[in-house]
């Protein structure tokens, strides 16, 4: 039996990038598998927690006794590798039409990527960059800390409770929930983390705006 569509209302949308708008899994897997091997770790265990976090936060989680300066140095190395590697970077199905439907509506990108990487990946996927951006440089703490989503809501001029986040990872969903933002989970990684609604891809998501600006997001 097909599930009935889920409808949520919001005043603004907060959009993760990797795994939500852009499928960059191939690059992440290549770069973090190399890092895992350099540090004597199982690549599968690293990749199980790498999605959604800034690189140094992943490293701190996996190697808690490692000096922070080494994690930050490795983070810069991985970012450089990721910026140079766009092979396999493609839009999540439905992402282009979804972003086009948000033209003129309040929305922000809230990503753990830094600004150069975000621009490279959105361009590689052929997607337009939202005008309001919260990137790694914008925050002092990585997802699952809520800072990015709190900043995104504030930059758009709305309370977190009036926003709706789109996320694919456990870290991202936890960050949104901690900020008091409801979440539409996108893709298979999101489903185990109990988002408020779930879409296999963005092809099943529509957004309509009422004259008063209230957004209705239909999933399914």
């Amino acid at each position: 039996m097909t599930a009935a569509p889920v409808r949520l209302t919001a005043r603004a949308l907060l959009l993760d990038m990797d795994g939500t708008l852009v499928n960059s899994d191939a690059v992440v897997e290549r770069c973090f598998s190399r890092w895992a091997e350099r540090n004597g770790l199982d690549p599968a265990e690293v990749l199980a927690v790498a999605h959604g976090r800034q690189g140094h936060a992943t490293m701190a989680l996996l190697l808690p006794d490692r000096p922070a300066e080494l994690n930050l140095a490795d983070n810069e190395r991985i970012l450089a590798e990721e910026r140079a590697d766009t092979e396999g970077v493609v839009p999540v199905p439905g992402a282009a039409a979804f972003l086009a439907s948000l033209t003129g509506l309040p929305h922000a990108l809230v990503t753990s990527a830094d600004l150069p990487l975000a621009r490279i990946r959105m361009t590689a996927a052929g997607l337009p960059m939202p005008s309001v951006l919260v990137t790694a440089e914008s925050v002092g703490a990585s997802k699952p800390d809520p800072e990015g989503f709190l900043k995104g809501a504030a930059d758009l001029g709305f309370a977190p409770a009036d926003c709706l986040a789109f996320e694919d990872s456990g870290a991202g969903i936890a960050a949104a929930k901690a900020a008091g933002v409801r979440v539409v989970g996108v893709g298979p990684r999101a489903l185990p983390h109990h988002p408020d609604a779930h879409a296999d891809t963005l092809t099943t998501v529509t957004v309509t705006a009422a004259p008063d600006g209230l957004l209705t997001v239909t999933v399914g």
Side-chain angles (χ1 to χ4, degrees):
M1 180 180 295
T2 302
V6 176
R7 290 182 176 83
L8 301 168
T9 58
R11 293 288 176 183
L13 304 182
L14 304 173
L15 314 175
D16 175 52
M17 182 182 70
D18 292 299
T20 300
L21 299 173
V22 174
N23 183 344
S24 57
D25 283 4
V27 178
V28 173
E29 289 172 7
R30 283 193 290 271
C31 293
F32 275 91
S33 291
R34 288 194 295 266
W35 179 84
E37 290 163 1
R38 289 195 297 267
N39 289 276
L41 298 173
D42 179 353
E45 292 181 4
V46 174
L47 292 170
V49 297
H51 294 286
R53 291 179 169 85
Q54 293 183 36
H56 64 84
T58 296
M59 297 168 196
L61 182 66
L62 293 163
L63 299 172
D65 297 325
R66 194 174 192 238
E69 58 267 24
L70 293 182
N71 292 338
L72 291 171
D74 272 6
N75 186 63
E76 287 304 314
R77 179 177 179 176
I78 286 181
L79 281 172
E81 292 176 358
E82 289 184 307
R83 293 180 198 121
D85 185 356
T86 58
E87 184 178 351
V89 174
V90 295
V92 167
F98 173 72
L99 286 172
S101 76
L102 302 186
T103 301
L105 303 180
H107 65 286
L109 194 72
V110 181
T111 176
S112 292
D114 68 359
L115 182 57
L117 182 58
R119 292 194 185 282
I120 286 167
R121 285 194 174 154
M122 292 290 279
T123 299
L127 299 175
M129 182 73 85
S131 58
V132 179
L133 306 171
V134 179
T135 59
E137 303 94 330
S138 309
V139 298
S142 169
K143 299 172 185 176
D145 189 277
E147 182 182 0
F149 284 111
L150 293 171
K151 181 171 176 55
D155 288 352
L156 291 171
F158 293 94
D162 290 328
C163 297
L164 186 62
F166 284 74
E167 267 286 359
D168 74 298
S169 70
I173 291 171
K177 288 183 175 182
V181 177
R182 293 160 298 148
V183 190
V184 174
V186 179
R189 277 194 295 268
L191 198 53
H193 302 286
H194 309 294
D196 296 276
H198 180 263
D200 291 333
T201 70
L202 292 171
T203 58
T204 63
V205 178
T206 59
V207 181
T208 57
D212 67 353
L214 185 67
L215 309 179
T216 297
V217 177
T218 303
V219 181

